[in-house]
Amino acid sequence: MSAKLNSKYVSSFVTDEEILSYQEKITKAHNDLHSKTGAGNDFLGWIDLPVDYDKDEFQRIKKAADKIKSDSEVLVVIGIGGSYLGARAVIEFIGGQNYNDLREGTPAIYFAGNSISPSYLSDILSICKKKDFSINVISKSGTTTEPAIAFRVFRELLEEKYGKEEAAKRTYVTTDRARGTLKALSDKEGYETFVVPDDVGGRYSVLTAVGLLPIAAAGIDIDALMAGAAKARAELMDTDINKNDCYKYVAIRNALYNKGKSTEMYVSYEPSFTLMNEWLKQLYGESEGKDGKGLFPASAIFSTDLHSLGQYIQEGERILFETVVTFAEPKDEIYIKEDAENADSLNFLAGKPMTFVNEKAFQGTILAHNDGGVPNIVIENEKMDEDSLPISNASLSA
Amino acid sequence: MSAKLNSKYVSSFVTDEEILSYQEKITKAHNDLHSKTGAGNDFLGWIDLPVDYDKDEFQRIKKAADKIKSDSEVLVVIGIGGSYLGARAVIEFIGGQNYNDLREGTPAIYFAGNSISPSYLSDILSICKKKDFSINVISKSGTTTEPAIAFRVFRELLEEKYGKEEAAKRTYVTTDRARGTLKALSDKEGYETFVVPDDVGGRYSVLTAVGLLPIAAAGIDIDALMAGAAKARAELMDTDINKNDCYKYVAIRNALYNKGKSTEMYVSYEPSFTLMNEWLKQLYGESEGKDGKGLFPASAIFSTDLHSLGQYIQEGERILFETVVTFAEPKDEIYIKEDAENADSLNFLAGKPMTFVNEKAFQGTILAHNDGGVPNIVIENEKMDEDSLPISNASLSA
């Protein structure tokens, strides 16, 4: 954090009064959530995860990540849905989409068991045949088809390659604390196990071992991640819409939905946000798609998708609003240089950072989309790092 | 080809009569297209590209690709929108999402100039600093901001690394035949140039040098690609809806749109189809998003996205239909083995190929979604290769 909501670009679509009319509902939802009294109250452990987690296991996670870094060029993370998207979203956001090519001292990470495509699986298998690798299989029950098939395949390769004993040391299992066939198998084979807590739903489990082990193996600072989430949690405790950007966001998107906007498009100007978008789709789609209702969650990365979806956003059916997540500081900056030829006529930008141009593109686009009848909610972040990752924000609003 | 349309899973939503009611409009559109008399008739070169293309340039493309393979570990492809999506879609579909890790004798391929993110660009720059690389910059005018900035950056690195003369030999430019600043610069600097034809719109340009050079550099058989497209073109010449699956698809999706389905979701069970989906979004979104109308193009990869969007598809707003692209044969097969432990209870699948399970998942899902009120159009393909790539099909329907 601290992510800030900018509601300027919805102001001509939704009035302050309309936003505030959700106060009562929001106060009730807040109280239900925090007193754990509403429907689904068995699965509210995620609310307190940033401050209330198993510190011993947290240390074990860091130790396991260190061992993986020391003995593996590849970590295969086997999981689907909530046991897949969060970790991948964080790793790609912090490490970039080309993390596997840029890492230093950490393993390449491949995600398997999230489809039933043999073409996809055999590609990853080919890679592992030539490298030292470990696996982290993540499944509460151990019987979900996709990860179960992938686990069979990689377990066989591990045992073939390293023998049963060493293979067991390269197998990390994140599963139920006590029940389930995967837990039983792990105890029998001597796999190190981590816990999917009973009170945390799959899609909210990124701050448990489910997300933290792969994230830590990728060299990301999980202490900073937890601290950022704890800060966000503290900042988002107020029930007052005017003092809580998370609830203000909730009110605005509901107001837009009730005015006939059927589709929310998550937008970022950073390609590394692509998987965060996918994860947001899960967080919202699974939470809201019920009883024939709910905002349809879509996503785009600009400016690239302006050259594909831009036309539709500007001139297609007026069913869209956008939620744009911005970052003031890039991970790395590039300055545009003077060019003697100036064939592209861009010398007027010489000396300027690319971030300046990206920001101008954002400003121009948002005005054009607003003019075209598309409301834009903007969530402004400072840095692209562990601290500012808008995880808690997203979770709390879902 | 030959892709086949299966309309069984729309039959309870759209009658044969409704489908056939589009015959007149389709016949007119067909005649306008093929006689090149309708609006936008200056940009219909794509229709005949599979049979009417510059054979000399085609040979030059293959030669350039061979040179790149022989002297470059990395090819940076600089382009946005139509100068980006098609090539990337084909390379990832045929080579897989992990092509860069699996290639043998061909360069790793990175796509730049499709955003203004300095974080993204500097990652690719870091990779190129350590490897022998070439660049292919694709821009009709040479002044589009995103590729122009990226070209400045990589041109500088090339000249720094190899000197001006050798850098020029590693710079391949795809641009206007005669006009434009990029063409002028190329002639001055001695870059080899390829042509973006005047009569082919950006998003349809994959079968010109725009797509063919990067695709050939990735080791994909562009002769087979052109032959497959020519076959598809010949098969899709009939105006009769009942004899032309492409037109039948057009009729069905229009009928669904006119019945209140606002969103078409492209679905595949192959992760390597992800970028094909993105390209389809461009093909349709740019063609249809006009005058406050048009189907909103969305996409999903199953089974992974069943664990995120599945709930919404099944139970959310009834605004969706799906267009599922299937492949009967995988690129590689994996057989599920007997496991002594059978902890996952999957031994009943022992001896079966994963394709069998993927197919069952598809069948179960389509029935469930149909029951939930979601029509499904199915486009059935045989193989995941150059020949069956449904490029022409997609283009012709857009």
Side-chain angles (χ1 to χ4, degrees):
Chain A
M1 285 276 286
S2 308
K4 284 206 176 60
L5 186 83
N6 177 348
S7 58
K8 185 173 159 191
Y9 302 98
V10 287
S11 58
S12 54
F13 303 92
V14 178
T15 65
D16 283 350
E17 255 180 10
E18 285 170 318
I19 293 172
L20 292 176
S21 74
Y22 288 89
Q23 184 63 64
E24 197 178 329
K25 274 193 187 166
I26 281 172
T27 303
K28 182 175 179 328
H30 176 96
N31 292 335
D32 282 354
L33 278 174
H34 286 271
S35 65
K36 304 191 177 176
T37 49
N41 62 42
D42 287 347
F43 294 96
L44 292 174
W46 58 268
I47 295 177
D48 296 322
L49 268 184
V51 289
D52 181 14
Y53 57 93
D54 183 335
K55 310 287 188 301
D56 292 337
E57 185 185 55
F58 194 80
Q59 293 309 317
R60 273 205 302 127
I61 288 170
K62 291 206 260 186
K63 234 178 111 183
D66 286 341
K67 178 170 180 299
I68 294 166
K69 284 183 223 170
S70 73
D71 68 8
S72 301
E73 298 163 271
V74 168
L75 173 66
V76 180
V77 180
I78 299 171
I80 194 166
S83 302
Y84 156 60
L85 276 172
R88 184 165 171 197
V90 173
I91 291 168
E92 288 199 12
F93 178 65
I94 308 256
Q97 289 178 298
N98 295 303
Y99 159 80
N100 279 356
D101 300 322
L102 291 161
R103 72 208 154 78
E104 285 175 11
T106 59
I109 295 179
Y110 295 93
F111 293 88
N114 56 67
S115 80
I116 319 177
S117 162
S119 307
Y120 179 82
L121 201 62
S122 71
D123 278 357
I124 299 176
L125 207 56
S126 299
I127 293 166
C128 290
K129 281 182 183 160
K130 297 177 197 160
K131 310 256 183 181
D132 275 318
F133 76 105
S134 295
I135 62 177
N136 176 203
V137 54
I138 307 166
S139 176
K140 183 132 178 109
S141 68
T143 55
T144 306
T145 309
E146 294 89 338
I149 291 175
F151 184 37
R152 281 193 176 210
V153 168
F154 284 99
R155 195 177 155 214
E156 187 191 5
L157 179 63
L158 266 182
E159 294 186 353
E160 234 176 72
K161 196 163 174 168
Y162 298 104
K164 225 170 145 58
E165 197 178 332
E166 173 66 12
K169 291 182 188 156
R170 290 174 172 274
T171 304
Y172 302 86
V173 176
T174 307
T175 186
D176 192 87
R177 185 183 307 275
R179 288 159 303 175
T181 57
L182 190 53
K183 175 63 182 163
L185 180 73
S186 301
D187 289 346
K188 190 180 160 217
E189 302 283 339
Y191 304 147
E192 179 163 16
T193 59
F194 301 91
V195 174
V196 184
D198 283 328
D199 61 349
V200 177
R203 63 188 180 278
Y204 302 116
S205 65
V206 72
L207 295 181
T208 72
V210 168
L212 293 174
L213 179 55
I215 290 169
I220 292 167
D221 182 348
I222 60 172
D223 287 300
L225 195 64
M226 292 305 268
K231 205 165 105 188
R233 181 182 168 278
E235 287 174 1
L236 298 171
M237 276 297 180
D238 207 311
T239 55
D240 185 342
I241 287 179
N242 279 322
K243 293 180 183 157
N244 187 325
D245 277 350
C246 173
Y247 293 150
K248 193 167 192 177
Y249 171 54
V250 169
I252 294 173
R253 62 198 294 281
N254 274 282
L256 290 169
Y257 176 60
N258 289 326
K259 287 178 172 226
K261 300 297 179 189
S262 67
T263 301
E264 176 172 20
M265 182 180 270
Y266 310 109
V267 171
S268 171
Y269 284 73
E270 294 296 337
S272 64
F273 204 78
T274 304
L275 260 286
M276 288 290 293
N277 272 342
E278 291 304 313
W279 185 34
L280 285 169
K281 286 189 205 169
Q282 182 196 25
L283 286 170
Y284 291 103
E286 284 207 338
S287 299
E288 298 181 351
K290 285 169 193 164
D291 306 324
K293 288 187 212 155
L295 279 161
F296 178 71
S299 68
I301 298 294
F302 290 168
S303 55
T304 193
D305 289 335
L306 287 174
H307 292 245
S308 57
L309 294 171
Q311 158 102 30
Y312 188 96
I313 297 169
Q314 194 91 30
E315 298 179 29
E317 291 264 356
R318 303 298 73 198
I319 55 176
L320 296 178
F321 72 89
E322 294 168 84
T323 297
V324 189
V325 181
T326 66
F327 300 90
E329 287 179 38
K331 259 189 351 178
D332 292 293
E333 190 55 271
I334 290 181
Y335 287 84
I336 296 165
K337 295 200 182 150
E338 186 88 19
D339 182 303
E341 315 280 353
N342 198 27
D344 53 19
S345 306
L346 289 183
N347 270 353
F348 76 100
L349 291 172
K352 293 271 193 298
M354 277 182 76
T355 298
F356 169 83
V357 188
N358 213 5
E359 169 80 16
K360 289 285 172 209
F362 159 68
Q363 286 166 355
T365 303
I366 207 166
L367 290 177
H369 288 186
N370 249 216
D371 282 350
V374 181
N376 269 250
I377 304 172
V378 184
I379 298 175
E380 300 170 343
N381 294 273
E382 282 303 314
K383 294 184 182 182
M384 300 172 67
D385 64 8
E386 290 89 340
D387 181 55
S388 71
L389 205 69
I391 289 180
S392 300
N393 212 8
S395 302
L396 275 173
S397 14
Chain B
M1 284 274 285
S2 309
K4 284 206 177 61
L5 187 83
N6 177 349
S7 59
K8 185 173 158 192
Y9 302 97
V10 287
S11 58
S12 55
F13 303 92
V14 178
T15 66
D16 282 351
E17 255 180 10
E18 285 170 319
I19 293 172
L20 293 176
S21 74
Y22 288 88
Q23 184 64 63
E24 196 179 329
K25 273 191 186 166
I26 281 172
T27 303
K28 182 175 179 326
H30 176 96
N31 292 336
D32 282 354
L33 278 174
H34 286 272
S35 64
K36 304 192 176 176
T37 49
N41 61 41
D42 287 348
F43 294 97
L44 292 174
W46 58 267
I47 295 178
D48 296 321
L49 269 183
V51 289
D52 181 13
Y53 58 93
D54 183 335
K55 308 288 189 299
D56 292 336
E57 186 185 57
F58 195 79
Q59 294 309 317
R60 273 205 302 126
I61 289 170
K62 292 205 260 186
K63 234 178 111 183
D66 285 340
K67 179 170 179 298
I68 294 167
K69 285 183 222 170
S70 73
D71 68 7
S72 301
E73 297 163 270
V74 168
L75 173 66
V76 180
V77 179
I78 299 172
I80 193 165
S83 302
Y84 155 60
L85 276 172
R88 185 166 169 194
V90 173
I91 291 169
E92 288 199 13
F93 178 65
I94 308 254
Q97 289 178 300
N98 294 303
Y99 159 79
N100 279 357
D101 300 323
L102 290 160
R103 70 209 154 78
E104 285 175 13
T106 59
I109 295 181
Y110 294 93
F111 293 89
N114 55 67
S115 80
I116 319 178
S117 161
S119 307
Y120 178 81
L121 200 62
S122 71
D123 279 356
I124 299 175
L125 208 56
S126 299
I127 292 166
C128 290
K129 281 181 183 160
K130 297 177 197 159
K131 310 256 183 181
D132 275 318
F133 76 105
S134 295
I135 62 177
N136 176 204
V137 54
I138 307 167
S139 175
K140 181 123 177 121
S141 68
T143 55
T144 305
T145 310
E146 294 88 340
I149 291 174
F151 183 38
R152 280 193 177 210
V153 168
F154 284 100
R155 195 178 155 213
E156 187 192 5
L157 179 63
L158 267 182
E159 295 186 352
E160 235 176 70
K161 197 163 174 169
Y162 298 104
K164 224 169 147 56
E165 199 178 332
E166 172 65 13
K169 290 182 188 157
R170 290 174 172 273
T171 304
Y172 302 87
V173 176
T174 307
T175 187
D176 192 87
R177 185 183 306 275
R179 289 158 304 175
T181 58
L182 190 53
K183 175 63 183 163
L185 181 72
S186 300
D187 290 345
K188 191 181 158 215
E189 303 283 340
Y191 304 146
E192 179 162 17
T193 59
F194 300 92
V195 174
V196 184
D198 282 328
D199 61 349
V200 177
R203 64 189 179 276
Y204 302 115
S205 65
V206 72
L207 295 181
T208 71
V210 169
L212 293 175
L213 179 54
I215 289 169
I220 291 167
D221 182 347
I222 60 172
D223 286 299
L225 195 64
M226 292 305 269
K231 205 164 104 190
R233 181 181 167 280
E235 287 174 1
L236 298 171
M237 276 297 180
D238 207 311
T239 55
D240 186 340
I241 288 179
N242 278 323
K243 294 181 183 156
N244 187 324
D245 278 349
C246 173
Y247 293 151
K248 193 168 193 178
Y249 170 54
V250 170
I252 293 173
R253 63 197 294 280
N254 274 281
L256 290 169
Y257 176 61
N258 289 325
K259 286 179 170 224
K261 299 297 180 190
S262 66
T263 301
E264 176 172 20
M265 184 181 269
Y266 310 109
V267 171
S268 172
Y269 284 73
E270 294 297 337
S272 64
F273 205 78
T274 304
L275 260 285
M276 288 290 292
N277 272 341
E278 291 304 312
W279 186 34
L280 285 170
K281 285 188 206 170
Q282 183 196 23
L283 287 171
Y284 291 104
E286 285 206 338
S287 300
E288 298 181 352
K290 284 169 193 164
D291 306 323
K293 290 187 212 154
L295 278 161
F296 178 71
S299 68
I301 298 295
F302 291 168
S303 56
T304 192
D305 289 335
L306 288 175
H307 292 245
S308 56
L309 294 171
Q311 158 100 30
Y312 188 96
I313 297 169
Q314 194 91 31
E315 298 180 28
E317 291 264 355
R318 303 298 74 198
I319 55 176
L320 296 178
F321 72 90
E322 294 168 83
T323 297
V324 189
V325 181
T326 66
F327 300 90
E329 287 179 37
K331 258 188 352 178
D332 292 294
E333 190 55 272
I334 290 180
Y335 288 84
I336 296 164
K337 296 201 182 149
E338 186 87 19
D339 182 304
E341 315 280 354
N342 198 26
D344 53 18
S345 305
L346 289 183
N347 270 352
F348 75 100
L349 291 173
K352 293 273 193 298
M354 277 182 76
T355 298
F356 169 84
V357 188
N358 213 7
E359 170 79 16
K360 288 285 172 212
F362 158 68
Q363 286 166 354
T365 303
I366 208 166
L367 289 177
H369 288 186
N370 249 213
D371 281 351
V374 181
N376 270 248
I377 303 171
V378 185
I379 298 175
E380 300 170 342
N381 294 273
E382 281 304 313
K383 294 185 180 179
M384 300 172 67
D385 64 8
E386 290 89 340
D387 181 56
S388 71
L389 205 66
I391 288 181
S392 300
N393 212 7
S395 301
L396 274 173
S397 15

